[in-house]
Amino acid sequence: MANGNEREMSLSRVFWITLRRDLMLAYRRRNDLVSPLMFFLMVATLFPLGVSPDPQFLSEVAAGVVWVAALLATLLSMDSLFRSDFDDGSLEQMLLSPQPLSLLVFAKICAHWMISGLPLTLMAPLLGLMLFLPQEGMSTLVLSLLLGTPTLSLIGAIGAGLTVGLRKGGVLISLLVLPLYIPVLIFGTGAVQAASTGLPVGGYLAILGAILALGMVLAPLAVAAGLRISVSD
Amino acid sequence: MSTPLLEVQDLFCERDERVLFEGLNFSLEAGEIIQVEGPNGSGKTTLLRILSGLSQAFEGDILWQGEPIDEVRDDFLSDLLYFGHLPGVKAILTPEENLRWYCALHPHTRTEGITEALANVGLYGYEDVPCHSLSAGQNRRVSLARLYLSDAPLWVLDEPFTAIDKRGVARKEALIAEHAANGGSVILTTHHELAIRDNLRKVTLGGQASPGERMEVV
């Protein structure tokens, strides 16, 4: 029993240490963090210029634009999740550690979300304002992104794990992952649109939460399996 | 006779429709050093990757303490130290941070020995310098410092002496000999002529004429 407890202690320690390491790595290369955020901001800025600056029109499409931009921004940052670990051999050491690979992977995905999905979520109200999103939809936008972006990171990690062994995995990730992103997008934008028109949003958010729960349980296992294949080549 | 630590039975591996080795048999006892020899491209690295469990592209059996390795994977990994072609050193972390993370992943390591280990590989004073400002040889030394930190009985070392200067090589060789004298086992590849004579065996790969040929104690 004491042994099991000790094991649990060491698992949570490994999780926190890996999380901290990835956050530190991101902090030391903070220039790389800006590009998904810039992308996110630019889409929202250019969209009214390209389509129509009419507030009436923009308020209708705002939810969709913010969500699509967040989705693509996440996808953009996905390829780098395991790339540097693969290139310098850290990934081999992770695979050869007696610690469960899915736990290490989960910590890395959490770190990835904290440096991509979380800032996107925090920036979203600003974009909502720029696109005349109705005031009633604002809190739901943030909430739906808060539930949806971790799922995007989890699903994207599966693609990243499978393609990390390939020199040009970027395009392949999109092909693998985009179909799986679609349910998240549909329920995410659905929630915001429902809130904007005064309809109840509980159902949409519950489904987003359910997808997230499913992803948290299953995605790390799938990523770990994908990484083993990629490293084994 | 006791069960050997690691036993390889009838190992077969082909790559790009070329047979790298077939019918390869050897065993590793505690306290032994095996040097895998062979020309470039003869499958030395592939063999070490298979033995460590990184690659599954093989046929045959690998036994760890008499059990099939897949069934005792966790025990095996706790007892393994693998040093690959890639040093596993993050360029934007300092040597100390790199080793700290390694120690966190591997239970049989001594975090408190990091400073001493770095001093032992000649990196005293470089603890807080990011690895990208170190030379290639120094980066490999950071990775080699793990040899001083680990209590793992089995070391699998792929070209551990690449980019290491002569004095460094002599020290690493002494360390390997000491590890074997203390009952540890080592499998390594190197093109360097080893000064170690005790408990050293060679496994030669390559050359279609003698697949899996095994040369006995030198």
Side-chain angles (χ1 to χ4, degrees), chain A residues 2-218:
Chain A
N3 208 345
N5 211 358
E6 199 175 283
R7 173 103 182 126
E8 223 165 81
M9 281 289 288
S10 105
L11 284 185
S12 69
R13 201 173 141 256
V14 167
F15 176 84
W16 288 114
I17 286 181
T18 308
L19 183 72
R20 233 192 50 192
R21 166 182 179 267
D22 267 44
L23 290 177
M24 185 154 71
L25 288 172
Y27 176 74
R28 299 233 170 121
R29 282 207 311 228
R30 40 196 177 278
N31 292 345
D32 295 0
L33 300 182
V34 185
S35 66
L37 293 179
M38 278 304 289
F39 176 84
F40 190 48
L41 195 63
M42 263 169 0
V43 171
T45 321
L46 296 180
F47 189 82
L49 295 176
V51 186
S52 154
D54 172 32
Q56 182 63 38
F57 170 75
L58 283 176
S59 74
E60 271 171 41
V61 296
V65 173
V66 175
W67 252 98
V68 169
L71 186 150
L72 292 176
T74 307
L75 197 58
L76 197 70
S77 64
M78 230 49 245
D79 186 48
S80 61
L81 180 57
F82 299 114
R83 177 71 55 203
S84 79
D85 282 338
F86 180 81
D87 287 343
D88 64 22
S90 306
L91 195 57
E92 284 180 357
Q93 296 300 339
M94 280 167 64
L95 257 66
L96 292 180
S97 136
Q99 313 293 353
L101 182 59
S102 48
L103 180 81
L104 301 176
V105 162
F106 186 58
K108 284 185 74 71
I109 298 172
C110 289
H112 178 267
W113 176 74
M114 288 165 83
I115 56 182
S116 65
L118 187 61
L120 291 177
T121 306
L122 296 177
M123 261 174 75
L126 175 69
L127 272 68
L129 273 181
M130 285 163 64
L131 296 171
F132 301 101
L133 183 76
Q135 206 55 49
E136 305 81 57
M138 208 62 94
S139 59
T140 309
L141 176 70
V142 174
L143 214 55
S144 67
L145 282 169
L146 207 55
L147 286 170
T149 46
T151 315
L152 299 181
S153 289
L154 285 160
I155 296 174
I158 302 177
L162 277 170
T163 56
V164 70
L166 310 169
R167 278 299 108 194
K168 291 195 176 116
V171 185
L172 204 54
I173 288 192
S174 317
L175 284 174
L176 284 170
V177 156
L178 271 181
L180 298 169
Y181 274 1
I182 288 172
V184 185
L185 177 69
I186 290 175
F187 288 108
T189 50
V192 185
Q193 263 152 10
S196 309
T197 46
L199 294 169
V201 294
Y204 291 102
L205 295 180
I207 288 178
L208 280 177
I211 299 176
L212 173 60
L214 194 69
M216 273 166 70
V217 176
L218 295 181

Side-chain angles (χ1 to χ4, degrees), chain B residues 19-176:
Chain B
V19 175
L20 283 177
F21 40 79
E22 58 182 331
L24 186 67
N25 289 291
F26 65 88
S27 63
L28 178 70
E29 310 276 342
E32 261 190 323
I33 301 169
I34 287 187
Q35 181 181 5
V36 182
E37 285 184 323
N40 293 128
S42 60
K44 299 188 293 297
T45 296
T46 309
L47 176 62
L48 295 199
R49 286 175 67 89
I50 288 173
L51 291 181
S52 65
L54 280 176
S55 170
Q56 297 289 331
F58 68 94
E59 287 167 34
D61 295 306
I62 303 173
L63 305 180
W64 173 248
Q65 295 175 334
E67 310 266 351
I69 207 158
D70 281 333
E71 289 171 21
V72 288
R73 168 84 42 208
D74 277 1
D75 292 336
F76 170 69
L77 289 179
S78 314
D79 288 344
L80 168 76
L81 186 153
Y82 175 78
F83 178 90
H85 258 278
L86 302 163
V89 170
K90 271 260 168 290
I92 47 177
L93 294 181
T94 66
E96 195 185 335
E97 288 164 345
N98 270 304
L99 292 177
R100 247 175 219 292
W101 189 64
Y102 179 81
C103 287
L105 290 194
H106 293 79
H108 298 291
T109 45
R110 297 179 299 272
T111 317
E112 63 280 2
I114 287 179
T115 318
E116 198 191 325
L118 283 172
N120 275 326
V121 291
L123 288 174
Y124 181 76
Y126 289 96
E127 294 90 348
D128 296 327
V129 180
C131 288
H132 59 72
S133 27
L134 300 179
S135 75
Q138 283 175 320
N139 268 304
R140 293 189 70 84
R141 280 163 181 266
V142 173
S143 191
L144 282 171
R146 295 185 284 135
L147 298 182
Y148 291 95
L149 294 172
S150 179
D151 293 330
L154 175 63
W155 292 359
V156 175
L157 312 175
D158 193 359
E159 301 284 354
F161 305 133
T162 306
I164 304 287
D165 58 35
K166 272 188 189 158
R167 257 191 67 216
V169 171
R171 292 193 66 170
K172 296 300 144 340
E173 275 197 49
L175 185 68
I176 288 170

